[in-house]
Amino acid sequence: MNSIAYQDQLLPIEQVFRDPVHDYIHVQHQVILDLINSREFQRLRRIKQLGTSSFTFHGAEHSRFTHSLGVYEIARRICDKFARSFSTKIEGDGGWDDRERLVVLCAALLHDIGHGPYSHTFERIFETDHEAITVEIITSPETEVNQILKKIHFDFPEKVASVIQKTYPNPQVVQLISSQIDADRMDYLLRDAYFTGVNYGTFDLTRILRVMRPYKDGISFQVSGMHAVEDYVVSRYQMYMQVYFHPVSRSMEVILDHLLKRAKKLYEDPDFEMLGSVSLLAPFFRNDFTLKDYLKLDDGVLNTYFTQWREENDAILSDLATRFLDRHPFKSVAFNSETDLPVIRHLETLILESGYDPVYYTAINNSYDLPYDFYRPEQINHRTQIELVEADGSLIELSKASPIVAALTGKVRGDERFYFPKEIIKPASISEVNLFEPLFNEFTKYIANGAIKNPITFQEESD
């Protein structure tokens, strides 16, 4: 099969995937079906989209696979709409060149293929980068994905990778996949809202796609659809505050983080021998992993190790594995890093005196998001602002037209929380109450209404 034939090859009969968010996901190109069936893409079935959020929202069991299909479907609909209504007439007129369709569809489908198990926590501990690994999967001759893409053209994998890296020369293509309102974000908001059972992430996708249009420097939206766009921005803000930053989900991330760090420390200890093999994680403990090693991992592999570590001779590793598998989250309180750190240090001392190692049983966790921002030339990594197009063709930046979005623009939202074992304030047995009652009483003096008391206020009360 020559490259031109493969590039243009459509399936004899369109294939569909039934989807709870988009109804049907339509696959028309042979290359897309081949990529879906590749070994690397099928691995995404075994990686949860929301990591530890399923400990809070029990329906959040959906995978990176389903999300990636959803991003592809939104990108496909946009390409169809652009080709139908905004096709370029002469070069440089800002219209849509449908020869870009295949690179868009492939980038949309593959944009998350580099995610690992419990991806963000895993990345922090083992210093991996899912975007860099995505690019490596796409460009490495060792992968099925690369071999499929090369059937189109020898340099097609690099073109798809450059979209992920935001270096592709056509800004319309890049912004469809990565911007402040792109196919990726639109799918994960709707999908995560559906599977978590909340309404915060819902917005009018149909209306947004209807008012979306290409222009020379990227993607814009007709000003008549401003309210649908601002609804999307607010929905994203609400999802971060209510779902992605939920204290219990973050607590389970903290336990997962400490669990993997403890396992790594024990692996590095020549005097400690683990009861079972850790062969799949060993390259990461040694920091000499290859792409082949990385692609062997998924959520199930890690969960199998956690089950194994329940029985380990190390009390901390065993306890943390049990807490994670059986959902025993740490307790948390909000705090202010400018005033409350001395109090937290004192609480860590009390936790140590209660028999818990603060290294593995406490954590400071910060979660912040910038709901929306406009272009700031002084910033190194600036955001692509959302542009509205007026009837005369002129552009106006979203926050200049929408008071609602203006209220969120440039304002970082989130909180700082201190995590600790809830046994400190809720002893598991009467014997613990009797043994540690003075410590428990001292600890709770510093907490009120789910937050650290202001130390000045506490000092006044003590006086």
Side-chain angles (χ1 to χ4, degrees):
M1 182 185 299
N2 62 54
S3 60
I4 296 177
Y6 187 67
Q7 177 173 339
D8 296 334
Q9 186 179 6
L10 298 178
L11 296 169
I13 300 176
E14 177 185 81
Q15 299 289 306
V16 295
F17 291 78
R18 193 66 190 250
D19 187 73
V21 175
H22 302 304
D23 193 17
Y24 283 109
I25 290 170
H26 303 262
V27 177
Q28 298 151 338
H29 294 82
Q30 183 67 51
V31 62
I32 297 299
L33 186 62
D34 290 346
L35 288 171
I36 291 171
N37 289 330
S38 69
R39 177 178 181 177
E40 296 84 19
F41 193 80
Q42 289 294 316
R43 182 185 68 99
L44 298 182
R45 290 182 183 271
R46 307 189 297 275
I47 297 177
K48 288 180 184 176
Q49 171 73 10
L50 287 184
T52 60
S53 290
S54 61
F55 287 105
T56 307
F57 304 94
H58 66 269
E61 298 283 342
H62 56 303
S63 67
R64 295 273 174 190
F65 180 92
T66 63
H67 164 61
S68 296
L69 287 181
V71 178
Y72 155 82
E73 175 61 17
I74 291 177
R76 186 196 66 79
R77 292 181 190 177
I78 294 171
C79 289
D80 281 355
K81 189 269 178 78
F82 283 3
R84 184 171 60 250
S85 302
F86 302 108
S87 184
T88 186
K89 300 297 189 295
I90 58 174
E91 186 174 350
D93 64 359
W96 174 250
D97 184 347
D98 207 43
R99 290 176 297 180
E100 302 281 23
R101 175 185 292 262
L102 212 53
V103 74
V104 168
L105 298 184
C106 291
L109 185 70
L110 301 174
H111 78 286
D112 266 356
I113 201 167
H115 271 285
Y118 296 106
S119 57
H120 297 297
T121 304
F122 190 89
E123 283 189 26
R124 286 194 298 270
I125 295 169
F126 298 111
E127 298 180 350
T128 61
D129 180 339
H130 73 271
E131 287 193 5
I133 293 175
T134 292
V135 170
E136 188 176 358
I137 291 170
I138 291 171
T139 58
S140 171
E142 299 177 2
T143 67
E144 291 182 11
V145 162
N146 177 266
Q147 294 163 17
I148 292 166
L149 295 175
K150 274 187 175 177
K151 290 181 181 179
I152 293 177
H153 194 269
F154 75 91
D155 69 346
F156 193 67
E158 283 67 31
K159 286 185 177 181
V160 175
S162 70
V163 178
I164 308 296
Q165 295 169 307
K166 304 184 183 72
T167 59
Y168 192 76
N170 186 339
Q172 296 172 353
V173 172
V174 173
Q175 288 179 33
L176 281 180
I177 307 302
S178 181
S179 62
Q180 292 198 80
I181 179 167
D182 55 36
D184 177 23
R185 294 187 184 197
M186 286 190 281
D187 181 80
Y188 77 61
L189 289 177
L190 292 173
R191 190 169 301 278
D192 295 350
Y194 177 88
F195 282 102
T196 55
V198 304
N199 291 320
Y200 305 114
T202 57
F203 58 91
D204 192 345
L205 174 65
T206 302
R207 177 65 173 156
I208 286 180
L209 297 187
R210 182 170 177 79
V211 300
M212 181 183 288
R213 60 185 299 170
Y215 76 109
K216 184 177 181 181
D217 295 322
I219 303 299
S220 63
F221 302 84
Q222 291 173 292
V223 72
S224 60
M226 181 189 73
H227 297 300
V229 176
E230 67 183 6
D231 184 39
Y232 155 87
V233 173
V234 172
S235 294
R236 183 179 181 277
Y237 164 72
Q238 294 282 20
M239 283 293 286
Y240 271 85
M241 296 303 106
Q242 300 294 328
V243 175
Y244 304 138
F245 292 168
H246 195 286
V248 174
S249 302
R250 289 158 60 188
S251 172
M252 298 306 293
E253 280 189 5
V254 165
I255 293 174
L256 175 61
D257 175 271
H258 291 357
L259 172 58
L260 288 170
K261 284 181 178 176
R262 183 63 177 179
K264 184 175 187 293
K265 182 177 178 61
L266 292 173
Y267 178 85
E268 295 168 345
D269 184 350
D271 296 326
F272 185 88
E273 185 174 352
M274 287 189 167
L275 297 176
S277 169
V278 290
S279 59
L280 296 180
L281 277 177
F284 299 88
F285 290 154
R286 297 192 304 263
N287 195 30
D288 64 356
F289 65 91
T290 64
L291 180 61
K292 186 176 180 180
D293 295 325
Y294 188 88
L295 290 172
K296 292 177 182 178
L297 298 184
D298 54 43
D299 290 358
V301 170
L302 261 60
N303 289 339
T304 299
Y305 280 127
F306 301 159
T307 302
Q308 177 179 300
W309 293 344
R310 278 188 197 258
E311 311 301 326
E312 280 292 349
N313 292 326
D314 181 75
I316 293 176
L317 183 66
S318 175
D319 180 61
L320 291 174
T322 297
R323 286 176 185 267
F324 186 79
L325 291 171
D326 295 348
R327 193 194 178 276
H328 297 308
F330 287 160
K331 182 72 175 174
S332 71
V333 289
F335 75 96
N336 185 326
S337 59
E338 294 182 1
T339 60
D340 297 342
L341 288 179
V343 175
I344 287 178
R345 298 296 169 245
H346 180 55
L347 296 180
E348 289 174 341
T349 300
L350 296 176
I351 289 168
L352 179 61
E353 292 175 4
S354 300
Y356 296 96
D357 185 344
V359 172
Y360 296 105
Y361 287 92
T362 68
I364 289 176
N365 182 279
N366 306 324
S367 290
Y368 291 102
D369 179 59
L370 184 61
Y372 176 75
D373 203 7
F374 52 81
Y375 173 74
R376 300 175 189 269
E378 71 277 6
Q379 293 180 349
I380 297 175
N381 297 315
H382 60 79
R383 295 188 169 197
T384 303
Q385 62 192 28
I386 297 175
E387 301 282 7
L388 303 178
V389 59
E390 303 271 18
D392 63 0
S394 61
L395 297 174
I396 179 171
E397 185 269 319
L398 176 62
S399 67
K400 301 292 192 301
S402 167
I404 293 175
V405 174
L408 295 173
T409 299
K411 296 179 176 64
V412 175
R413 309 285 176 158
D415 68 351
E416 302 170 300
R417 303 192 75 83
F418 175 61
Y419 284 85
F420 55 90
K422 63 180 172 183
E423 293 89 343
I424 297 296
I425 57 175
K426 291 183 179 179
S429 65
I430 297 298
S431 61
E432 284 188 5
V433 172
N434 294 335
L435 181 61
F436 297 112
E437 185 173 11
L439 292 173
F440 297 152
N441 291 339
E442 173 72 5
F443 194 95
T444 55
K445 283 181 181 179
Y446 292 88
I447 297 172
N449 300 320
I452 297 291
K453 277 189 177 181
N454 185 297
I456 297 176
T457 302
F458 177 71
Q459 184 64 43
E460 291 171 349
E461 292 175 358
S462 299
D463 294 343

